[in-house]
Amino acid sequence: MEPSRTTSLRALLNRALLLAVAALALRLLYGAFLAVSAAANASSLYPPAAVTAAARRTHVQADVPSPEAWRTRQWRRAVDYHAALLADHLAQGILAPPSRAVCLGGAQEALAMRELGVAAALAVQKKPSLPLVVAGDDRRLPFKPNSVDFVFAGRALDSAKRPADLAAEAARILKPHAHLVLLTSSAADAYSLRSLQALLPSLRLLRSRHINAHDSASTLRELLFQKLHADDTPTSSTAGTSPSNNCSIGEHKLQLLTQAEPLIQEEPLKPWITLKRNINNIKYLPALADISFKRRYVYVDVGARSYGSSIGGWFRKHYPKQNHTFQVYAIEADPAFHAEYSVKKGVTLLPYAAWVKNETLKFEINGDPGKEDEAKANGRGMGRIRPAVGNKMSGEVRSVPAFDFAEWLRQTVTEQDYVVMKMDVEGTEFELIPRMFDTGAICLVDELFLECHYNRWQKCCPGERSPKYENTYEECLDLFSSLRESGVLVHQWW
């Protein structure tokens, strides 16, 4: 071969080699730029904490077809936001490239994971969009139990119609010791946070911190959970499983009680006026805390009388429900009121007397000083029960079935439910409340409106006390105080 031709070929090969080296260098520089960008964004998500050097990992471009909706600038910003957020978990080893990861929010989250190198990441939505999104719903995620390494819930629980179902499914599919990360705007107060934790009894909360939201104009709470091994799972304090009479006074309850209206310490001379006016002072629980993270919403009216007496006339009109639908139980022994409940939707009537055990009792109808107007409106006096032996009865008397109210409550609701109760049982509260303490049923009540009956001054007869009740106002005050000391948000009702 001629020397000139050999020199030209060698120069051509050298040029090709230099171009290849330059291309490789550009690829590495681009990858480094993506990693540094993700780390910088993650730093802004968690002010003022710094992102560790391990978070500066190179993005891996996901080989994912991109529908038209996925190519918009807004969609891309959402991917970048989640990539920056998840890079921190990747750096800490909570998420790893080989992880089988599931996103409960959207395809942006799954794509962000894939670009971080988590090749098996999938999102779950009602409509599938392969290869990123598979079909599933809140009640059934398409994965086997204990099969997933990492679940990113995003803000799925905030928007879920049944957050308890979705939380249970997320816990079901996680492997022991695997992690769940969720974002929420609803767990800003201690009560709401405790409610959310109660939805995940098999998981332990490892970390809670505030991060910037996608729009940067607001903040979210990021919660990191770890699933416990079956041998380490604590027993959830639910109905039917808590035999103790010791209610746990958590921070979430203490904060509420500090904001409650004060109890009326001095016995009122005109109780029918004072107690009625006290309604304006009541601090309702939904006005103090977020009640979003509950399995069900339940109102129990013990001593309901007619539907309009308190269910229709007060609870459904005035109680702040935060747009939740409540399941209502009306407990009323007087058969004169039973017929109207058959046409009331969403109300379950228990036609019995609330008592401390299952038996048949005598039920008396007579007047209650201070409630003449209500008796006149209902065309019926107030009803009360007494054991088969005891004080002599003077009004209309009949036999009625009674049931163990505390045990019924333990079998009907759980700590995951939001339970509001009104109790007006004509003096029987002095038996029912201690029984609820003994069984632990009192722990299941979130808010209680209690009318305490005592030998109060009579409206009809100035200077005379009611002969109908033997208890004093001081005993009523002790009853209210014991409830609040046990963490129950109780209000003096009338």
Side-chain angles (χ1 to χ4, degrees), residues 69 77 99 224 317 368:
R77 281 200 298 264
S99 296
L224 172 63
K317 288 183 178 180
D368 184 9

Side-chain angles (χ1 to χ4, degrees), residues 31 33-42 45-46 51 54-64 76 78-92 95-99 101 103 108-121 132 150 152:
F33 167 76
L34 290 175
V36 172
S37 176
N41 289 336
L45 285 169
Y46 302 99
V51 179
R56 297 181 175 88
R57 299 190 180 186
T58 303
H59 276 40
V60 177
Q61 293 297 321
D63 184 16
V64 177
R76 184 65 230 179
V79 174
D80 292 340
Y81 169 82
H82 288 101
L85 190 156
L86 290 162
D88 185 66
H89 300 293
L90 197 64
Q92 297 179 35
L95 175 66
S99 296
C103 305
Q108 301 101 321
E109 301 164 4
L111 182 57
M113 284 196 191
R114 292 199 180 189
E115 290 187 354
L116 288 171
V118 185
L132 274 183
F150 181 85
F152 183 73

Side-chain angles (χ1 to χ4, degrees), residues 286-308:
L288 303 175
D290 191 327
I291 63 172
S292 299
F293 293 119
K294 288 293 184 178
R295 184 174 67 97
R296 291 186 305 155
Y297 299 85
V298 180
Y299 174 59
V300 182
D301 195 326
V302 192
R305 290 177 60 77
S306 67
Y307 173 81

Side-chain angles (χ1 to χ4, degrees), residues 225-355:
F225 291 88
Q226 183 178 39
K227 186 173 182 178
L228 301 173
H229 190 276
D231 295 337
D232 301 326
T233 303
T235 302
S236 175
S237 54
T238 59
T241 63
S242 176
S244 173
N245 62 347
N246 296 319
C247 290
S248 174
I249 306 179
E251 182 65 24
H252 65 299
K253 292 183 178 180
L254 293 176
Q255 287 188 10
L256 293 175
L257 291 171
T258 60
Q259 302 176 68
E261 74 281 358
L263 297 173
I264 302 171
Q265 298 295 325
E266 295 290 332
E267 179 184 352
L269 297 177
K270 295 182 178 181
W272 56 91
I273 296 177
T274 303
L275 293 173
K276 187 173 183 178
R277 287 178 177 173
N278 189 53
I279 293 179
N280 297 325
N281 300 324
I282 285 177
K283 303 291 182 64
Y284 294 100
L285 195 158
L288 303 175
D290 191 327
I291 63 172
S292 299
F293 293 119
K294 288 293 184 178
R295 184 174 67 97
R296 291 186 305 155
Y297 299 85
V298 180
Y299 174 59
V300 182
D301 195 326
V302 192
R305 290 177 60 77
S306 67
Y307 173 81
S309 178
S310 58
I311 296 174
W314 167 70
F315 180 77
R316 284 190 162 169
K317 288 183 178 180
H318 302 293
Y319 188 81
K321 305 174 186 65
Q322 293 187 5
N323 295 321
H324 297 293
T325 300
F326 279 70
Q327 182 177 356
V328 178
Y329 291 94
I331 300 174
E332 177 54 55
D334 191 344
F337 300 111
H338 292 173
E340 66 173 308
Y341 284 102
S342 62
V343 295
K344 300 299 181 183
K345 294 182 179 180
V347 181
T348 300
L349 172 67
L350 278 69
Y352 316 111
W355 186 233

Side-chain angles (χ1 to χ4, degrees), residues 41-256:
N41 289 336
S43 179
S44 68
L45 285 169
Y46 302 99
V51 179
T52 63
R56 297 181 175 88
R57 299 190 180 186
T58 303
H59 276 40
V60 177
Q61 293 297 321
D63 184 16
V64 177
S66 53
E68 194 64 33
W70 297 6
R71 298 171 187 166
T72 64
R73 183 175 300 176
Q74 182 179 4
W75 206 89
R76 184 65 230 179
R77 281 200 298 264
V79 174
D80 292 340
Y81 169 82
H82 288 101
L85 190 156
L86 290 162
D88 185 66
H89 300 293
L90 197 64
Q92 297 179 35
I94 296 169
L95 175 66
S99 296
R100 187 181 189 192
V102 172
C103 305
L104 303 182
Q108 301 101 321
E109 301 164 4
L111 182 57
M113 284 196 191
R114 292 199 180 189
E115 290 187 354
L116 288 171
V118 185
L122 286 172
V124 181
Q125 293 180 332
K126 288 186 177 180
K127 294 184 178 180
S129 182
L130 297 176
L132 274 183
V133 183
V134 296
D137 58 39
D138 294 358
R139 293 188 173 182
R140 191 65 185 175
L141 298 177
F143 305 99
K144 294 181 179 179
N146 307 314
S147 63
V148 173
D149 300 301
F150 181 85
V151 172
F152 183 73
R155 300 189 63 183
L157 263 67
D158 280 0
S159 58
K161 292 183 178 180
R162 297 177 295 271
D165 292 342
L166 185 57
E169 275 295 278
R172 179 186 67 83
I173 67 174
L174 271 179
K175 294 178 180 178
H177 307 303
H179 294 88
L180 164 70
V181 173
L182 63 87
L183 311 178
T184 178
S185 60
S186 299
D189 58 89
Y191 180 88
S192 177
L193 179 58
R194 178 63 177 267
S195 300
L196 176 55
Q197 288 180 265
L199 297 182
L200 297 162
S202 63
L203 276 66
R204 176 176 63 242
L205 179 62
L206 298 181
R207 185 178 70 203
S208 172
R209 59 183 178 181
H210 288 93
I211 66 170
N212 291 333
H214 185 201
D215 57 10
S216 299
S218 58
T219 60
L220 300 173
R221 175 172 286 195
E222 182 199 58
L223 301 171
L224 172 63
F225 291 88
Q226 183 178 39
K227 186 173 182 178
L228 301 173
H229 190 276
D231 295 337
D232 301 326
T233 303
T235 302
S236 175
S237 54
T238 59
T241 63
S242 176
S244 173
N245 62 347
N246 296 319
C247 290
S248 174
I249 306 179
E251 182 65 24
H252 65 299
K253 292 183 178 180
L254 293 176
Q255 287 188 10
L256 293 175

